[in-house]
Amino acid sequence: MTSQVTGGAADLSDSQRLDWLRLIRSDNVGPSTFRQLINRFGGAGAALEALPELIAKAGGKRKVRLASRDDCAREYDALTRMGGRFIAMGESHYPRLLREIDSAPPLIAVLGRIEIFSRPMIAIVGSRNASAAGLSMAGQLASELARHDYAIVSGLARGVDRQAHVTSLTTGTIAVLAGGFNHVYPAEHKALAEKICKQGALISEMPIGWQARGRDFPRRNRIVSGLSFGTIVVEAVRRSGSLITARFANEQG
């Protein structure tokens, strides 16, 4: 199944997708290590079987706790009950541009309308404490881009992110979460997240019950820019998540 990592069109079975979930949920297995393991062993199931011996031969210097199959099955079932699904890199519905970035998440959880990923996307991000002029500009940009059939991507934060999402609710917007679907951040945007699902989608690479921590927001930002043909920053202070997103966009070309 190496084609699944490199962009093949075949979709995984539920059992294979569960193996992917187990592998990416295992300790010290990030996107890069995941791809190396899949390409070396030909599939997530084979990689999971080989990991204990691989670690032992390496002297155990790098500890890896394999995720429990039961825990992952519960997460898989919970997402299904919510009306969502996991999409693996290389499957037909995985966002095309996102799979091209170096740190693309091997597996994303999606709530909403997955067909939105077939549309061109533009990210609009900016200050949480945006000025009235900044919010107006974000709304104008989102509205004009939507008229040209672009879906609007942002991070569901306060300020510019919220304005971009609200303006494009009826035309299609995508919110990338830093935490899991059970812990929308900020909490006051939970109702907005539910509205986004009607014409757009929510994306997360984190477990459903994960509460976002500080380091999770830059991880989210690489997905915001990675989904998009371009990233627009509307107001940002020098040390901000918006400029981290801009940096990712530059690195991703």
Side-chain angles (χ1 to χ4, degrees), residues 39-123:
N39 290 329
R40 176 172 178 178
F41 295 104
L48 287 163
E49 290 180 5
L51 263 177
E53 183 178 352
L54 193 67
I55 296 165
K57 287 182 178 179
K61 294 179 180 179
R62 188 180 185 188
K63 295 181 180 180
V64 175
R65 179 193 62 81
L66 298 184
S68 160
R69 187 172 186 84
D70 288 343
D71 288 346
C72 289
R74 281 191 287 270
E75 181 183 355
Y76 199 99
D77 291 342
L79 180 61
T80 301
R81 288 195 300 271
M82 293 173 75
R85 62 180 290 182
F86 286 105
I87 304 176
M89 185 190 302
E91 289 193 296
S92 55
H93 290 293
Y94 193 94
R96 180 177 61 84
L97 291 181
L98 184 61
R99 77 164 60 109
E100 296 178 7
I101 71 172
D102 290 340
S103 56
L107 200 67
I108 53 174
V110 179
L111 283 177
R113 303 171 68 91
I114 59 175
E115 59 268 27
I116 196 170
F117 299 142
S118 65
R119 291 171 56 189
M121 294 173 252
I122 293 288

Side-chain angles (χ1 to χ4, degrees), residues 151-169:
I152 303 302
V153 183
S154 202
L156 201 67
R158 301 179 182 95
V160 168
D161 287 24
R162 181 183 184 283
Q163 187 66 36
H165 288 308
V166 168
T167 304
S168 53
L169 273 176

Side-chain angles (χ1 to χ4, degrees), residues 16-220:
Q16 289 171 321
R17 208 174 286 113
L18 182 57
D19 285 338
W20 276 53
L21 182 60
R22 279 193 70 199
L23 187 57
I24 195 59
R25 293 286 186 260
S26 296
D27 285 352
N28 295 315
V29 178
S32 178
T33 300
F34 184 98
R35 287 194 296 272
Q36 292 172 14
L37 289 169
I38 291 285
N39 290 329
R40 176 172 178 178
F41 295 104
L48 287 163
E49 290 180 5
L51 263 177
E53 183 178 352
L54 193 67
I55 296 165
K57 287 182 178 179
K61 294 179 180 179
R62 188 180 185 188
K63 295 181 180 180
V64 175
R65 179 193 62 81
L66 298 184
S68 160
R69 187 172 186 84
D70 288 343
D71 288 346
C72 289
R74 281 191 287 270
E75 181 183 355
Y76 199 99
D77 291 342
L79 180 61
T80 301
R81 288 195 300 271
M82 293 173 75
R85 62 180 290 182
F86 286 105
I87 304 176
M89 185 190 302
E91 289 193 296
S92 55
H93 290 293
Y94 193 94
R96 180 177 61 84
L97 291 181
L98 184 61
R99 77 164 60 109
E100 296 178 7
I101 71 172
D102 290 340
S103 56
L107 200 67
I108 53 174
V110 179
L111 283 177
R113 303 171 68 91
I114 59 175
E115 59 268 27
I116 196 170
F117 299 142
S118 65
R119 291 171 56 189
M121 294 173 252
I122 293 288
I124 298 178
V125 298
S127 174
R128 288 174 170 82
N129 300 307
S131 67
L135 294 177
S136 177
M137 176 60 72
Q140 290 177 45
L141 288 166
S143 179
E144 185 66 19
L145 286 164
R147 282 203 319 111
H148 290 83
D149 199 39
Y150 284 96
I152 303 302
V153 183
S154 202
L156 201 67
R158 301 179 182 95
V160 168
D161 287 24
R162 181 183 184 283
Q163 187 66 36
H165 288 308
V166 168
T167 304
S168 53
L169 273 176
T170 60
T171 54
T173 185
I174 298 159
V176 185
L177 276 57
F181 292 146
N182 284 346
H183 292 283
V184 170
Y185 181 86
E188 66 260 31
H189 287 180
K190 184 176 181 180
L192 174 58
E194 292 172 354
K195 291 178 182 178
I196 287 171
C197 290
K198 293 180 181 179
Q199 296 293 335
L202 303 181
I203 291 179
S204 177
E205 65 176 329
M206 307 305 287
I208 286 177
W210 188 265
Q211 288 187 308
R213 300 169 294 181
R215 67 184 182 186
D216 297 322
F217 292 93
R219 291 181 59 176
R220 174 206 61 188

